[in-house]
Amino acid sequence: MLTQAIKGVKDILPADSAKWQSLEKTVRELFSDYGFSEIRTPIIEHTVLFARSIGATSDIVEKEMYAFKDQGGDEITLRPEGTAGVVRAYVEHKLFAPQPVTKVYYLGPMFRRERPQAGRLRQFHQIGVEALGVSEPGIDVDVLAALVELFNRLGVSGVELHINSLGCRDCRAAYKAALKDFLMQRMDSLCPDCQRRVETNPLRALDCKSEHCKTATNGAPMMSEYLDDDCRAHFESVKQGLDDLGIKYVINPRMVRGLDYYTRTTFEMIAIDKKGAQNAVAAGGRYDGLVEEIGGPPTPGIGFAIGVERLLIMLPEAGDGAPLPKVYIAAIGGQAARFGQKLADALRKSGISAERDYSPGGLKNQMKKADRSGAAYTVIIGEEEMTKGAALLRNMKTREQAEVELDKLVEEIKTRTRFL
Ligand code: ATP
Ligand code: MG
């Protein structure tokens, strides 16, 4: 073949798309229940948007962005995440003016040049929400409740909600300095990435996957010890709200998230597989400085993003995704085939899915195909039936057959398939 799909970029084939559609339907209904409206932002943005907001020392900006210069010389990046684009749109269209509280959700593809492996792609999909304009902890609780409820509605178990507070710009500065001091004394035990980042982003050492860093950060100071009064009170209220709603969570003081813009409440939904391995399927948090950073008025925000591919792996098995036709039309002979085409058209216009054989063989052959199609009913029509003006309508489950006049077929099928 001429070429194949790009590494880490996947086709969603017909057999899988029903799963995606059903997930999307559940998600849309749920977000509507929680008061979020959809926003669709472009897949490409000016590179500076991501470089500035996500942070120069994040994995994304350091090594994962699909960034290029277009033919006009503009620096463009395929969006690696959803929040920056949403906030850009929020500021650009001044959504804060008519709607001081803006709650939006999105779903769509994201792009990161990572090493492809199970659950890690270069084009992957995220479902996310952003709630802008509320600093009170009640919105943190609502956002977390929506996330937890989504997993409930999907019937996904084996997940744990981990939460932490990263404090605000002020108290985090003091913490960063303390952590930096601690790490400086253990420089030799850190991985090369973290050694490099001690100056710029020491927090990253806490969630580094390298065993060296895990050992070296044992006993490191924790953000929780440095939270100022307001940040501490905020975190306490969030926990209280979760308790009130009966939402279970684990406080994970080492969770720092990789992105620069997070403040205060941060969280991850962790999937624990049968072998006990942990894997983040969703992540998010507050970003109280981001709107201002992008050029809007000081506005608090909080959101999350779920990795769709990682979520789909966890969904309880539903059958094969291809939609089943309700009716199969087995037409034998030229005249009957023409009638079959018209009948299929009439059924479809009535909202009944109908399939037929485009290169029809004999009756036996077509009945085999009808069986395989999974249709609930088959219309059997040959020259004899055409002359008689009545076709056979066969219930594929009970194998009962009835003769139905040609011009009554659509009505009869409508009645019979109403509850299928
Ligand atoms: P990781 O630590 O696994 O690299 P991350 O911190 O980079 O994750 P986020 O930026 O928080 O991930 O994105 C939120 C969610 O999006 C993740 O929890 C994950 O489910 C999903 N995700 C992130 N990167 C990928 C990817 N390359 N392929 C598939 N899903 C991804
Ligand atoms: Mg990553």
Side-chain angles (χ1 to χ4, degrees), residues 172-187 190 194-206 217 220-222 226:
R172 193 158 67 223
Y175 171 61
K176 249 182 165 174
L179 181 61
K180 200 169 111 188
D181 279 351
F182 177 91
L183 294 173
M184 292 287 247
Q185 287 158 32
R186 291 160 181 79
M187 240 356 192
L190 296 175
C194 287
Q195 284 179 351
R196 192 168 43 81
R197 288 189 296 228
V198 164
E199 276 299 327
T200 49
N201 197 351
L203 270 67
R204 295 295 308 281
L206 292 182
T217 54
M222 289 291 143
Y226 285 78

Side-chain angles (χ1 to χ4, degrees), residues 291-327:
V291 177
E292 215 176 344
E293 174 85 34
I294 290 177
T299 310
I302 179 168
F304 63 70
I306 308 171
V308 177
E309 284 80 358
R310 290 188 199 175
L311 179 61
L312 283 173
I313 298 172
M314 305 175 67
L315 287 191
E317 237 358 273
D320 182 346
L324 297 179
K326 288 185 176 168
V327 180

Side-chain angles (χ1 to χ4, degrees), residues 59-60 64 112 114 120 209 310:
D59 279 349
I60 295 179
E64 297 172 355
R112 299 185 193 176
E114 304 199 62
R120 197 173 288 286
K209 279 155 195 142
R310 290 188 199 175

Side-chain angles (χ1 to χ4, degrees), residues 59-60 64 80-81 111-112 114-115 117 119-126 207 209 257-259 262 268-269 279-284 304-311:
D59 279 349
I60 295 179
E64 297 172 355
E81 55 99 60
F111 304 83
R112 299 185 193 176
E114 304 199 62
R115 201 165 62 79
Q117 48 191 290
R120 197 173 288 286
L121 298 163
R122 290 181 169 177
Q123 174 175 339
F124 62 101
H125 296 74
Q126 283 186 338
D207 75 344
K209 279 155 195 142
R257 310 288 311 127
L259 284 57
Y262 284 121
E268 286 183 353
M269 195 58 113
N279 190 359
V281 42
F304 63 70
I306 308 171
V308 177
E309 284 80 358
R310 290 188 199 175
L311 179 61

